[in-house]
Amino acid sequence: MEEACEIARLPEELVSAALARTSPRDACRAAAVSPAFRAAADSDAVWARFLPPGALPPLADGELAAPAPPSSKKELFLRLSAGPALLQDRLVSVWLDRETGAKCYMLSARNLFIVWGDTPQYWTWIPLEDSRFSEGAQLMHVCWFEIRGKIHSKMLSQDTTYAAYMVFKTTYNFYGLDFPVQEASISAGATNSTRKVCLQGNDDDDGEGGVPENYRPMVPFPRLRLRRRNRRVVSHEENVALPQQRADGWMELELGEFLNEGGDDGEVSISLVETKGGNWKSGLIVQGIEIRRKKSG
């Protein structure tokens, strides 16, 4: 008790300076130590250190206005880390990593380059009711599958390792997403990485009903079905990354990771491609590409 009383006698400025060198989580825990710590832990001096240096990209009108504009730096941080806020063009969203304050983004499907994306025969645009974005891209029929996105390095937090994820769903009659597997690439500065991924997880492989009766593939149908049956073996032997279910009901597929070192004027380029197999694909709904801090472990 005497030690607690001695700590409580420290000047609030000193306590704030110490807490500002910890983390948002530690600051919230420190607020429970004593009334003196609570005042320091809730101060703007502490939470200004947890907010990203420099200004955030301009947000769309009204994004932080409800129920009222943030009244403190802590409230601003908590709102920005609670969920994504749309930028002015409403094609990109931003939020803060709650543990570190790192800036995270999602590039909407409209913000991506999708080959044949404006040709209704191949892709169509549909409204989304379970997304911050108003619409997503639905794959109708393509044999040349290519999606690319990019973001300026200076929009991201410096000295932070990020991972990029394709966020998507599949329709009930999807097909052709399992083989050949796709190639995901990330280019950041002088670093380039490529990995094999597959938009269709093992749980989706029932072997039946994946291709509509009126479908006429460009390759012989028995060959297509043989490839479907072989997908489990290919994914296992080639160490292909598979998608995971998200809490929001969407699926996500990790495309790779990168270290944003300097936050300079360069770009981070992300791609998901399958153009060599010639197989037709259908039934994918793309919400966008999410770029968030890669958690260790």
PDB file of all heavy atoms in Angstrom, residues 236-261:
ATOM      1  N   HIS A 236      -1.734 -30.205 -50.807  1.00  0.00           N
ATOM      2  CA  HIS A 236      -0.886 -30.714 -49.735  1.00  0.00           C
ATOM      3  C   HIS A 236       0.575 -30.764 -50.164  1.00  0.00           C
ATOM      4  O   HIS A 236       1.470 -30.327 -49.451  1.00  0.00           O
ATOM      5  CB  HIS A 236      -1.374 -32.114 -49.327  1.00  0.00           C
ATOM      6  CG  HIS A 236      -0.490 -32.771 -48.316  1.00  0.00           C
ATOM      7  ND1 HIS A 236      -0.448 -32.372 -46.995  1.00  0.00           N
ATOM      8  CD2 HIS A 236       0.404 -33.787 -48.431  1.00  0.00           C
ATOM      9  CE1 HIS A 236       0.418 -33.120 -46.334  1.00  0.00           C
ATOM     10  NE2 HIS A 236       0.954 -33.985 -47.188  1.00  0.00           N
ATOM     11  N   GLU A 237       0.834 -31.282 -51.362  1.00  0.00           N
ATOM     12  CA  GLU A 237       2.199 -31.486 -51.784  1.00  0.00           C
ATOM     13  C   GLU A 237       2.912 -30.172 -52.097  1.00  0.00           C
ATOM     14  O   GLU A 237       4.098 -30.033 -51.891  1.00  0.00           O
ATOM     15  CB  GLU A 237       2.226 -32.390 -53.023  1.00  0.00           C
ATOM     16  CG  GLU A 237       1.833 -33.839 -52.717  1.00  0.00           C
ATOM     17  CD  GLU A 237       1.914 -34.705 -53.946  1.00  0.00           C
ATOM     18  OE1 GLU A 237       2.097 -34.141 -55.051  1.00  0.00           O
ATOM     19  OE2 GLU A 237       1.783 -35.934 -53.813  1.00  0.00           O
ATOM     20  N   GLU A 238       2.186 -29.181 -52.577  1.00  0.00           N
ATOM     21  CA  GLU A 238       2.826 -27.944 -52.995  1.00  0.00           C
ATOM     22  C   GLU A 238       2.721 -26.840 -51.942  1.00  0.00           C
ATOM     23  O   GLU A 238       3.072 -25.713 -52.185  1.00  0.00           O
ATOM     24  CB  GLU A 238       2.207 -27.475 -54.310  1.00  0.00           C
ATOM     25  CG  GLU A 238       2.412 -28.468 -55.448  1.00  0.00           C
ATOM     26  CD  GLU A 238       1.869 -27.960 -56.763  1.00  0.00           C
ATOM     27  OE1 GLU A 238       1.384 -26.812 -56.790  1.00  0.00           O
ATOM     28  OE2 GLU A 238       1.912 -28.685 -57.753  1.00  0.00           O
ATOM     29  N   ASN A 239       2.209 -27.179 -50.761  1.00  0.00           N
ATOM     30  CA  ASN A 239       2.107 -26.218 -49.670  1.00  0.00           C
ATOM     31  C   ASN A 239       1.343 -24.971 -50.102  1.00  0.00           C
ATOM     32  O   ASN A 239       1.820 -23.836 -49.984  1.00  0.00           O
ATOM     33  CB  ASN A 239       3.504 -25.841 -49.167  1.00  0.00           C
ATOM     34  CG  ASN A 239       3.459 -25.096 -47.852  1.00  0.00           C
ATOM     35  OD1 ASN A 239       2.548 -25.286 -47.048  1.00  0.00           O
ATOM     36  ND2 ASN A 239       4.442 -24.237 -47.630  1.00  0.00           N
ATOM     37  N   VAL A 240       0.152 -25.182 -50.627  1.00  0.00           N
ATOM     38  CA  VAL A 240      -0.676 -24.096 -51.119  1.00  0.00           C
ATOM     39  C   VAL A 240      -1.467 -23.487 -49.961  1.00  0.00           C
ATOM     40  O   VAL A 240      -2.083 -24.211 -49.170  1.00  0.00           O
ATOM     41  CB  VAL A 240      -1.643 -24.607 -52.208  1.00  0.00           C
ATOM     42  CG1 VAL A 240      -2.577 -23.497 -52.661  1.00  0.00           C
ATOM     43  CG2 VAL A 240      -0.851 -25.151 -53.394  1.00  0.00           C
ATOM     44  N   ALA A 241      -1.462 -22.155 -49.843  1.00  0.00           N
ATOM     45  CA  ALA A 241      -2.224 -21.473 -48.796  1.00  0.00           C
ATOM     46  C   ALA A 241      -3.710 -21.529 -49.122  1.00  0.00           C
ATOM     47  O   ALA A 241      -4.123 -21.310 -50.259  1.00  0.00           O
ATOM     48  CB  ALA A 241      -1.762 -20.022 -48.674  1.00  0.00           C
ATOM     49  N   LEU A 242      -4.534 -21.814 -48.114  1.00  0.00           N
ATOM     50  CA  LEU A 242      -5.978 -21.946 -48.281  1.00  0.00           C
ATOM     51  C   LEU A 242      -6.695 -20.852 -47.491  1.00  0.00           C
ATOM     52  O   LEU A 242      -6.160 -20.296 -46.536  1.00  0.00           O
ATOM     53  CB  LEU A 242      -6.442 -23.328 -47.814  1.00  0.00           C
ATOM     54  CG  LEU A 242      -5.865 -24.531 -48.575  1.00  0.00           C
ATOM     55  CD1 LEU A 242      -6.342 -25.831 -47.940  1.00  0.00           C
ATOM     56  CD2 LEU A 242      -6.244 -24.475 -50.044  1.00  0.00           C
ATOM     57  N   PRO A 243      -7.930 -20.533 -47.852  1.00  0.00           N
ATOM     58  CA  PRO A 243      -8.664 -19.453 -47.177  1.00  0.00           C
ATOM     59  C   PRO A 243      -9.145 -19.853 -45.789  1.00  0.00           C
ATOM     60  O   PRO A 243      -9.248 -21.043 -45.465  1.00  0.00           O
ATOM     61  CB  PRO A 243      -9.841 -19.197 -48.128  1.00  0.00           C
ATOM     62  CG  PRO A 243     -10.043 -20.488 -48.851  1.00  0.00           C
ATOM     63  CD  PRO A 243      -8.678 -21.090 -48.993  1.00  0.00           C
ATOM     64  N   GLN A 244      -9.454 -18.828 -44.999  1.00  0.00           N
ATOM     65  CA  GLN A 244      -9.983 -19.007 -43.647  1.00  0.00           C
ATOM     66  C   GLN A 244     -11.285 -18.230 -43.499  1.00  0.00           C
ATOM     67  O   GLN A 244     -11.471 -17.195 -44.128  1.00  0.00           O
ATOM     68  CB  GLN A 244      -8.964 -18.507 -42.601  1.00  0.00           C
ATOM     69  CG  GLN A 244      -7.604 -19.181 -42.676  1.00  0.00           C
ATOM     70  CD  GLN A 244      -7.643 -20.636 -42.283  1.00  0.00           C
ATOM     71  OE1 GLN A 244      -8.421 -21.024 -41.402  1.00  0.00           O
ATOM     72  NE2 GLN A 244      -6.821 -21.453 -42.920  1.00  0.00           N
ATOM     73  N   GLN A 245     -12.166 -18.725 -42.640  1.00  0.00           N
ATOM     74  CA  GLN A 245     -13.421 -18.037 -42.355  1.00  0.00           C
ATOM     75  C   GLN A 245     -13.171 -16.856 -41.425  1.00  0.00           C
ATOM     76  O   GLN A 245     -12.410 -16.959 -40.463  1.00  0.00           O
ATOM     77  CB  GLN A 245     -14.414 -19.000 -41.705  1.00  0.00           C
ATOM     78  CG  GLN A 245     -15.796 -18.413 -41.441  1.00  0.00           C
ATOM     79  CD  GLN A 245     -16.641 -18.341 -42.694  1.00  0.00           C
ATOM     80  OE1 GLN A 245     -16.587 -19.232 -43.529  1.00  0.00           O
ATOM     81  NE2 GLN A 245     -17.434 -17.295 -42.819  1.00  0.00           N
ATOM     82  N   ARG A 246     -13.797 -15.726 -41.711  1.00  0.00           N
ATOM     83  CA  ARG A 246     -13.690 -14.539 -40.869  1.00  0.00           C
ATOM     84  C   ARG A 246     -14.897 -14.432 -39.945  1.00  0.00           C
ATOM     85  O   ARG A 246     -15.953 -15.026 -40.202  1.00  0.00           O
ATOM     86  CB  ARG A 246     -13.620 -13.275 -41.740  1.00  0.00           C
ATOM     87  CG  ARG A 246     -12.346 -13.143 -42.531  1.00  0.00           C
ATOM     88  CD  ARG A 246     -12.478 -12.166 -43.674  1.00  0.00           C
ATOM     89  NE  ARG A 246     -12.928 -10.845 -43.293  1.00  0.00           N
ATOM     90  CZ  ARG A 246     -12.162  -9.766 -43.197  1.00  0.00           C
ATOM     91  NH1 ARG A 246     -10.864  -9.882 -43.463  1.00  0.00           N
ATOM     92  NH2 ARG A 246     -12.657  -8.589 -42.892  1.00  0.00           N
ATOM     93  N   ALA A 247     -14.759 -13.644 -38.898  1.00  0.00           N
ATOM     94  CA  ALA A 247     -15.865 -13.447 -37.968  1.00  0.00           C
ATOM     95  C   ALA A 247     -17.026 -12.710 -38.615  1.00  0.00           C
ATOM     96  O   ALA A 247     -18.175 -12.839 -38.176  1.00  0.00           O
ATOM     97  CB  ALA A 247     -15.381 -12.686 -36.729  1.00  0.00           C
ATOM     98  N   ASP A 248     -16.762 -11.921 -39.672  1.00  0.00           N
ATOM     99  CA  ASP A 248     -17.828 -11.148 -40.303  1.00  0.00           C
ATOM    100  C   ASP A 248     -18.581 -11.933 -41.381  1.00  0.00           C
ATOM    101  O   ASP A 248     -19.429 -11.383 -42.084  1.00  0.00           O
ATOM    102  CB  ASP A 248     -17.277  -9.852 -40.905  1.00  0.00           C
ATOM    103  CG  ASP A 248     -16.205 -10.092 -41.967  1.00  0.00           C
ATOM    104  OD1 ASP A 248     -15.973 -11.264 -42.333  1.00  0.00           O
ATOM    105  OD2 ASP A 248     -15.597  -9.112 -42.425  1.00  0.00           O
ATOM    106  N   GLY A 249     -18.273 -13.228 -41.519  1.00  0.00           N
ATOM    107  CA  GLY A 249     -18.978 -14.056 -42.476  1.00  0.00           C
ATOM    108  C   GLY A 249     -18.297 -14.188 -43.823  1.00  0.00           C
ATOM    109  O   GLY A 249     -18.691 -15.027 -44.634  1.00  0.00           O
ATOM    110  N   TRP A 250     -17.287 -13.366 -44.089  1.00  0.00           N
ATOM    111  CA  TRP A 250     -16.540 -13.452 -45.337  1.00  0.00           C
ATOM    112  C   TRP A 250     -15.391 -14.440 -45.172  1.00  0.00           C
ATOM    113  O   TRP A 250     -15.067 -14.869 -44.061  1.00  0.00           O
ATOM    114  CB  TRP A 250     -16.010 -12.077 -45.731  1.00  0.00           C
ATOM    115  CG  TRP A 250     -17.073 -11.123 -46.173  1.00  0.00           C
ATOM    116  CD1 TRP A 250     -17.917 -10.410 -45.363  1.00  0.00           C
ATOM    117  CD2 TRP A 250     -17.424 -10.782 -47.515  1.00  0.00           C
ATOM    118  NE1 TRP A 250     -18.763  -9.640 -46.128  1.00  0.00           N
ATOM    119  CE2 TRP A 250     -18.489  -9.848 -47.452  1.00  0.00           C
ATOM    120  CE3 TRP A 250     -16.944 -11.166 -48.766  1.00  0.00           C
ATOM    121  CZ2 TRP A 250     -19.076  -9.301 -48.576  1.00  0.00           C
ATOM    122  CZ3 TRP A 250     -17.520 -10.622 -49.901  1.00  0.00           C
ATOM    123  CH2 TRP A 250     -18.576  -9.703 -49.805  1.00  0.00           C
ATOM    124  N   MET A 251     -14.757 -14.798 -46.290  1.00  0.00           N
ATOM    125  CA  MET A 251     -13.548 -15.602 -46.280  1.00  0.00           C
ATOM    126  C   MET A 251     -12.358 -14.692 -46.565  1.00  0.00           C
ATOM    127  O   MET A 251     -12.506 -13.643 -47.200  1.00  0.00           O
ATOM    128  CB  MET A 251     -13.612 -16.693 -47.353  1.00  0.00           C
ATOM    129  CG  MET A 251     -14.779 -17.641 -47.225  1.00  0.00           C
ATOM    130  SD  MET A 251     -14.662 -18.714 -45.776  1.00  0.00           S
ATOM    131  CE  MET A 251     -13.254 -19.741 -46.224  1.00  0.00           C
ATOM    132  N   GLU A 252     -11.187 -15.086 -46.088  1.00  0.00           N
ATOM    133  CA  GLU A 252      -9.976 -14.353 -46.417  1.00  0.00           C
ATOM    134  C   GLU A 252      -8.861 -15.328 -46.776  1.00  0.00           C
ATOM    135  O   GLU A 252      -8.735 -16.405 -46.190  1.00  0.00           O
ATOM    136  CB  GLU A 252      -9.540 -13.427 -45.282  1.00  0.00           C
ATOM    137  CG  GLU A 252      -9.064 -14.114 -44.026  1.00  0.00           C
ATOM    138  CD  GLU A 252      -8.581 -13.120 -42.990  1.00  0.00           C
ATOM    139  OE1 GLU A 252      -9.041 -11.960 -42.992  1.00  0.00           O
ATOM    140  OE2 GLU A 252      -7.734 -13.508 -42.148  1.00  0.00           O
ATOM    141  N   LEU A 253      -8.067 -14.931 -47.751  1.00  0.00           N
ATOM    142  CA  LEU A 253      -6.946 -15.732 -48.229  1.00  0.00           C
ATOM    143  C   LEU A 253      -5.692 -14.877 -48.140  1.00  0.00           C
ATOM    144  O   LEU A 253      -5.614 -13.814 -48.780  1.00  0.00           O
ATOM    145  CB  LEU A 253      -7.186 -16.170 -49.675  1.00  0.00           C
ATOM    146  CG  LEU A 253      -6.053 -16.924 -50.372  1.00  0.00           C
ATOM    147  CD1 LEU A 253      -5.783 -18.251 -49.664  1.00  0.00           C
ATOM    148  CD2 LEU A 253      -6.406 -17.161 -51.845  1.00  0.00           C
ATOM    149  N   GLU A 254      -4.724 -15.292 -47.333  1.00  0.00           N
ATOM    150  CA  GLU A 254      -3.498 -14.508 -47.182  1.00  0.00           C
ATOM    151  C   GLU A 254      -2.664 -14.602 -48.455  1.00  0.00           C
ATOM    152  O   GLU A 254      -2.302 -15.687 -48.906  1.00  0.00           O
ATOM    153  CB  GLU A 254      -2.677 -14.986 -45.992  1.00  0.00           C
ATOM    154  CG  GLU A 254      -1.438 -14.129 -45.747  1.00  0.00           C
ATOM    155  CD  GLU A 254      -0.681 -14.482 -44.486  1.00  0.00           C
ATOM    156  OE1 GLU A 254      -1.287 -15.097 -43.571  1.00  0.00           O
ATOM    157  OE2 GLU A 254       0.521 -14.158 -44.422  1.00  0.00           O
ATOM    158  N   LEU A 255      -2.359 -13.451 -49.029  1.00  0.00           N
ATOM    159  CA  LEU A 255      -1.612 -13.384 -50.280  1.00  0.00           C
ATOM    160  C   LEU A 255      -0.111 -13.254 -50.051  1.00  0.00           C
ATOM    161  O   LEU A 255       0.672 -13.489 -50.971  1.00  0.00           O
ATOM    162  CB  LEU A 255      -2.110 -12.206 -51.119  1.00  0.00           C
ATOM    163  CG  LEU A 255      -3.623 -12.186 -51.405  1.00  0.00           C
ATOM    164  CD1 LEU A 255      -3.982 -10.950 -52.210  1.00  0.00           C
ATOM    165  CD2 LEU A 255      -4.069 -13.456 -52.111  1.00  0.00           C
ATOM    166  N   GLY A 256       0.277 -12.855 -48.847  1.00  0.00           N
ATOM    167  CA  GLY A 256       1.695 -12.699 -48.536  1.00  0.00           C
ATOM    168  C   GLY A 256       1.897 -11.584 -47.530  1.00  0.00           C
ATOM    169  O   GLY A 256       0.930 -10.969 -47.058  1.00  0.00           O
ATOM    170  N   GLU A 257       3.144 -11.328 -47.178  1.00  0.00           N
ATOM    171  CA  GLU A 257       3.457 -10.285 -46.204  1.00  0.00           C
ATOM    172  C   GLU A 257       4.647  -9.470 -46.684  1.00  0.00           C
ATOM    173  O   GLU A 257       5.385  -9.883 -47.573  1.00  0.00           O
ATOM    174  CB  GLU A 257       3.730 -10.887 -44.831  1.00  0.00           C
ATOM    175  CG  GLU A 257       4.909 -11.837 -44.781  1.00  0.00           C
ATOM    176  CD  GLU A 257       5.086 -12.460 -43.407  1.00  0.00           C
ATOM    177  OE1 GLU A 257       4.261 -13.314 -43.037  1.00  0.00           O
ATOM    178  OE2 GLU A 257       6.048 -12.073 -42.711  1.00  0.00           O
ATOM    179  N   PHE A 258       4.815  -8.307 -46.063  1.00  0.00           N
ATOM    180  CA  PHE A 258       5.920  -7.424 -46.433  1.00  0.00           C
ATOM    181  C   PHE A 258       6.214  -6.492 -45.276  1.00  0.00           C
ATOM    182  O   PHE A 258       5.361  -6.226 -44.427  1.00  0.00           O
ATOM    183  CB  PHE A 258       5.575  -6.611 -47.689  1.00  0.00           C
ATOM    184  CG  PHE A 258       4.400  -5.676 -47.516  1.00  0.00           C
ATOM    185  CD1 PHE A 258       4.590  -4.343 -47.176  1.00  0.00           C
ATOM    186  CD2 PHE A 258       3.102  -6.136 -47.691  1.00  0.00           C
ATOM    187  CE1 PHE A 258       3.515  -3.476 -47.001  1.00  0.00           C
ATOM    188  CE2 PHE A 258       2.020  -5.281 -47.530  1.00  0.00           C
ATOM    189  CZ  PHE A 258       2.224  -3.954 -47.188  1.00  0.00           C
ATOM    190  N   LEU A 259       7.439  -5.980 -45.253  1.00  0.00           N
ATOM    191  CA  LEU A 259       7.863  -5.010 -44.241  1.00  0.00           C
ATOM    192  C   LEU A 259       7.853  -3.627 -44.869  1.00  0.00           C
ATOM    193  O   LEU A 259       8.530  -3.397 -45.877  1.00  0.00           O
ATOM    194  CB  LEU A 259       9.262  -5.345 -43.730  1.00  0.00           C
ATOM    195  CG  LEU A 259       9.907  -4.319 -42.785  1.00  0.00           C
ATOM    196  CD1 LEU A 259       9.095  -4.184 -41.499  1.00  0.00           C
ATOM    197  CD2 LEU A 259      11.346  -4.707 -42.476  1.00  0.00           C
ATOM    198  N   ASN A 260       7.080  -2.724 -44.293  1.00  0.00           N
ATOM    199  CA  ASN A 260       7.090  -1.335 -44.744  1.00  0.00           C
ATOM    200  C   ASN A 260       8.130  -0.591 -43.906  1.00  0.00           C
ATOM    201  O   ASN A 260       7.866  -0.195 -42.777  1.00  0.00           O
ATOM    202  CB  ASN A 260       5.704  -0.697 -44.576  1.00  0.00           C
ATOM    203  CG  ASN A 260       5.611   0.658 -45.244  1.00  0.00           C
ATOM    204  OD1 ASN A 260       5.834   0.786 -46.438  1.00  0.00           O
ATOM    205  ND2 ASN A 260       5.281   1.680 -44.458  1.00  0.00           N
ATOM    206  N   GLU A 261       9.299  -0.396 -44.472  1.00  0.00           N
ATOM    207  CA  GLU A 261      10.419   0.128 -43.689  1.00  0.00           C
ATOM    208  C   GLU A 261      10.400   1.646 -43.575  1.00  0.00           C
ATOM    209  O   GLU A 261      10.328   2.195 -42.486  1.00  0.00           O
ATOM    210  CB  GLU A 261      11.732  -0.325 -44.320  1.00  0.00           C
ATOM    211  CG  GLU A 261      11.953  -1.816 -44.234  1.00  0.00           C
ATOM    212  CD  GLU A 261      13.279  -2.232 -44.810  1.00  0.00           C
ATOM    213  OE1 GLU A 261      13.431  -2.181 -46.049  1.00  0.00           O
ATOM    214  OE2 GLU A 261      14.172  -2.601 -44.016  1.00  0.00           O
TER     215      GLU A 261
END
